[in-house]
Amino acid sequence: MKLGEGVEAAIHCTATLASVEGNSTMPGAALAECFGLSASYLLKHLNMLTAASILESVPGPAGGYRLARAAERITLLDIVLAIEGREPAFRCGEIRRNGPVKIDASAYVKPCGINAAMLKAERAYRAALAELKLSDIVADYAAEGDPRSFAASCAFVARHQRPQKSSSTPQKQM
Amino acid sequence: MKLGEGVEAAIHCTATLASVEGNSTMPGAALAECFGLSASYLLKHLNMLTAASILESVPGPAGGYRLARAAERITLLDIVLAIEGREPAFRCGEIRRNGPVKIDASAYVKPCGINAAMLKAERAYRAALAELKLSDIVADYAAEGDPRSFAASCAFVARHQRPQKSSSTPQKQM
DNA sequence: GGGTTCCTACTCGGATAACGTATGTCCGAGTAAATCTGG
DNA sequence: CCAGATTTACTCGGACATACGTTATCCGAGTAGGAACCC
């Protein structure tokens, strides 16, 4: 049981993007510089987040990434599933059937109890992740984090964010 | 997030070993045959379970594996941690510090909020796994599983278990 | 001077290698049972 | 016939190759901005 390295980067980048104002975007290279990561590799993860409709990408100069929806509607579960895949961590290979004595398939119509137990635990994990909204992460960071690092992050975002010409989404559509 | 293939084998084997009576043992080769696995590779996982004090191994002829303690005192969490390691699935690389602007280390004395959130979810996962006792798995299998496969498993165990010398319950059956 | 056209520079996106971990296999150390031998 | 040492066969344990997945990198497609040019 081990999560990929990209999950951490994805969460940090998503949290950072939650600080950009309006429909401005932030280039992936800036995000990579922000966390000392390889820009080329981070793009892959950001692309996965885009495919999962968590981020939006704007090509061309002054382009970049932006949250696809409000931070209140993004959970850590969304990010983890986007990066690690939606498959359950425990995959039942039905090895109970591979024994030497072959039994009729009708004996295995019921799901494997071990698989059910593991999936039950995993549902608890995902439920806990679904409770954690990105907006809460950012709020906690602003409230309990060190003011110096918070200010530095805000300054970095303000320096690298590129306002859009209201191409796709106007100011606000609430 | 993906669990290794060996976790499934380890749980199945441990559940099977819960059916052997007294202090009898069952060879690893028999367990491998029971689930159609590679014997050489299964030994590695069984060895990990032994190192975690979940199983006991008896060398020599008529040797094999046996539960180190009652099935009521073995949880799925014990097995998963023995195979996958006790490290948390989410490893915080502290990438927040790797930014271009260097800030004094005193700004990072507080733990990373993202790491705290992920660990909180993982605690929920482990707590759910700790609630699942091996005895419950076996009981559910005996109660709700198909009688044919259950009988076949019992017959396989009875055929391959090897009573030990100090056993006070001798059973001679071929 | 204004509008149009072309060019450039910057962005994301996917295809392509290198590394590390998990998987799979092999042979050696150890032990208890069975056997052989001597009394 | 019984006791003891020896042989033996079976077990686990760790060391050695292999395969897959993740990590890391590069180059190409696309777009918007800016500059040059013509009217």
Side-chain angles (χ1 to χ4, degrees):
Chain A
M1 177 167 181
K2 201 173 55 178
L3 274 72
E5 196 76 17
V7 175
E8 183 183 11
I11 298 176
H12 273 278
C13 289
T14 314
T16 303
L17 286 173
S19 301
V20 303
E21 297 136 6
N23 59 356
S24 300
T25 62
M26 194 165 168
L31 287 167
E33 184 191 358
C34 183
F35 298 109
L37 301 172
S38 160
S40 307
Y41 183 41
L42 185 62
L43 266 291
K44 178 187 281 275
H45 295 312
L46 295 176
N47 191 13
M48 288 180 181
L49 292 172
T50 304
S53 299
I54 295 172
L55 299 184
E56 281 179 355
S57 68
V58 176
Y65 291 95
R66 135 188 64 182
L67 291 187
R69 56 180 184 270
E72 289 82 11
R73 299 188 59 81
I74 298 176
T75 68
L76 289 189
L77 180 63
D78 298 328
I79 301 173
V80 171
L81 290 185
I83 301 296
E84 294 287 326
R86 306 190 68 85
E87 308 283 318
F90 183 81
R91 298 150 296 169
C92 182
E94 286 287 337
I95 62 174
R96 56 176 181 170
R97 305 190 187 185
N98 299 355
V101 286
K102 296 302 176 188
I103 304 181
D104 192 74
S106 62
Y108 299 120
V109 291
K110 283 223 175 188
C112 178
I114 291 171
N115 188 26
M118 294 299 292
L119 261 56
K120 179 182 175 184
E122 194 163 348
R123 275 196 295 272
Y125 177 65
R126 296 195 176 189
L129 276 181
E131 293 294 321
L132 296 168
K133 291 181 288 188
L134 185 63
S135 53
D136 297 335
I137 300 290
V138 177
D140 287 358
Y141 179 49
E144 302 190 8
D146 191 275
R148 286 168 289 178
S149 63
F150 180 68
S153 294
C154 289
F156 191 89
V157 170
R159 181 151 21 100
H160 285 280
Q161 70 179 355
R162 309 287 186 196
Q164 297 299 299
K165 277 198 140 181
S166 71
S167 54
S168 56
T169 53
Q171 293 291 339
K172 262 205 170 186
Q173 56 180 14
M174 274 186 74
Chain B
M1 176 167 182
K2 201 173 54 177
L3 274 72
E5 196 75 17
V7 176
E8 183 183 9
I11 298 175
H12 273 279
C13 289
T14 314
T16 302
L17 286 173
S19 301
V20 304
E21 296 137 7
N23 59 355
S24 299
T25 63
M26 194 166 166
L31 288 168
E33 183 191 358
C34 184
F35 298 110
L37 301 172
S38 161
S40 305
Y41 183 40
L42 185 62
L43 266 292
K44 180 187 282 274
H45 294 311
L46 294 176
N47 192 14
M48 288 179 181
L49 292 172
T50 304
S53 298
I54 295 173
L55 299 184
E56 281 178 354
S57 68
V58 176
Y65 291 95
R66 136 187 61 181
L67 292 187
R69 57 181 183 269
E72 288 81 12
R73 298 188 60 80
I74 297 177
T75 69
L76 289 189
L77 180 63
D78 298 328
I79 301 173
V80 170
L81 291 185
I83 301 296
E84 294 288 325
R86 307 189 68 84
E87 309 281 320
F90 182 82
R91 297 149 297 169
C92 182
E94 287 287 338
I95 62 175
R96 57 176 179 171
R97 306 190 186 185
N98 299 353
V101 285
K102 297 300 176 190
I103 305 182
D104 192 74
S106 62
Y108 298 119
V109 291
K110 284 224 176 188
C112 176
I114 291 172
N115 189 26
M118 295 297 292
L119 261 54
K120 179 182 175 185
E122 195 163 346
R123 275 195 295 271
Y125 178 65
R126 296 194 175 189
L129 277 181
E131 293 293 321
L132 296 167
K133 291 181 289 186
L134 186 62
S135 54
D136 297 335
I137 300 290
V138 178
D140 286 358
Y141 179 49
E144 301 190 9
D146 191 275
R148 285 168 291 178
S149 63
F150 179 68
S153 295
C154 289
F156 192 89
V157 170
R159 182 151 20 101
H160 286 281
Q161 69 179 356
R162 309 285 185 192
Q164 296 301 298
K165 197 154 99 175
S166 57
S167 174
S168 57
T169 58
Q171 296 171 359
K172 290 291 186 76
Q173 184 174 2
M174 277 286 288

